[in-house]
């Protein structure tokens, strides 16, 4: 969005230093022209902020229809920084070694402390961020996706704007028999922040969770999944304004279109359960 030019340049420099074949870079400007980037970086200027998933979809199309000009796409937050020069090569090796690996999610670490927030480990057993594993979702600002995944299951849900768009894609990918890996050795340095820094956080989290369930879950699991998350939200005792925003989003999730409904197979429900995160929590 044009408000972190120094961070963006540092990120691009860290990509340029990657070992192996050069990594092509596209920067999408959300309602602001992209300036101050190297001449070899391609840019796309959007007239308005269309949200995170829709903006990333524009970036995908910059690499051909559905990103098909390349085999793999990296998605990196503009205030992040690749910690090591071998990350791109590790990504290539991982996808080459496992033809059914569709998505890799990186470990996010604070640049000063090296700590990884619990919410940045995409599994329920998150106490050990240094343990790599198969997972059921991924981190939107630090990941690599095989472009065949987009060709098979479609792009990110642009209407979500922010929150849960990664899980929506992850569930569709898993239902198509792709796998997702969390790799602790692939590191994006990113300052420790709270997700609630976004003004629309509580509203979007609630609305999009309802959309996520309506779009992807078998009908009997929809009320179970949303009921569990309603209870978890109340147990966390958010502030009154946050709770009002949450319930406003929850209501809108039921009363507005959520996009096409393609409920996952029950075998996918079982796969998610075996991977440690059944789609009820």
């Amino acid at each position: 969005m044009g408000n972190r030019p120094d961070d963006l340049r540092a990120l691009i420099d860290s990509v340029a230093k990657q070992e192996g074949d050069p990594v092509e870079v596209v920067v999408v400007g959300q309602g602001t022209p992209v300036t101050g980037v190297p001449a070899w970086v391609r840019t796309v200027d959007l007239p308005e902020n269309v949200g995170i998933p829709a903006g990333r979809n524009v970036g995908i199309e910059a690499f051909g229809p559905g990103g098909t000009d390349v085999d793999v796409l990296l998605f990196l937050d503009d205030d992040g920084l690749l910690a090591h020069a071998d990350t791109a090569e590790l990504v290539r090796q991982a996808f080459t070694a496992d033809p059914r690996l569709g998505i890799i999610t990186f470990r996010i670490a604070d640049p000063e402390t090296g700590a990884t927030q619990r919410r940045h480990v995409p599994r329920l057993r998150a106490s050990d961020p240094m343990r790599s594993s198969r997972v059921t979702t991924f981190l939107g600002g630090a990941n690599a996706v095989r472009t065949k995944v987009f060709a098979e299951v479609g792009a990110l849900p642009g209407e979500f704007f922010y929150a849960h768009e990664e899980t929506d894609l992850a569930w569709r990918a898993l239902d198509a028999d792709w796998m997702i890996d969390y790799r602790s050795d692939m590191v994006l340095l990113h300052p420790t922040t709270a997700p609630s820094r976004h003004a629309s956080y509580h509203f979007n989290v609630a609305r999009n969770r309802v959309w996520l369930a309506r779009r992807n879950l078998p009908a009997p699991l929809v009320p179970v999944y949303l009921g569990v998350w309603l209870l978890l939200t109340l147990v966390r005792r958010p502030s009154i304004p946050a709770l009002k925003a949450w319930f406003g989003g929850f209501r809108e999730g039921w009363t507005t279109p959520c996009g096409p409904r393609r409920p996952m197979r029950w075998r996918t429900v079982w796969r998610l359960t075996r991977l440690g995160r059944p789609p009820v929590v």
Side-chain angles (χ1 to χ4, degrees), residues 4 8 33 56 96 112 121 133 137 199 211 220 231 253 269:
R4 294 191 284 241
L8 174 61
R56 287 181 177 149
T96 299
E112 295 184 3
V121 182
S133 69
T137 188
W211 282 353
L231 290 174
V269 173

Side-chain angles (χ1 to χ4, degrees), residues 40-89:
W40 57 272
V41 173
R42 288 187 285 160
T43 63
V44 180
D45 294 335
L46 301 179
E48 61 180 328
N49 181 4
V50 298
I52 294 173
R56 287 181 177 149
N57 287 340
V58 170
I60 293 170
E61 295 299 312
F63 292 95
T68 50
D69 288 350
V70 294
D71 296 323
V72 175
L73 288 167
L74 306 180
F75 297 88
L76 305 172
D77 275 355
D78 65 351
D79 56 346
L81 184 74
L82 290 175
H84 309 299
D86 64 348
T87 300
E89 194 60 30

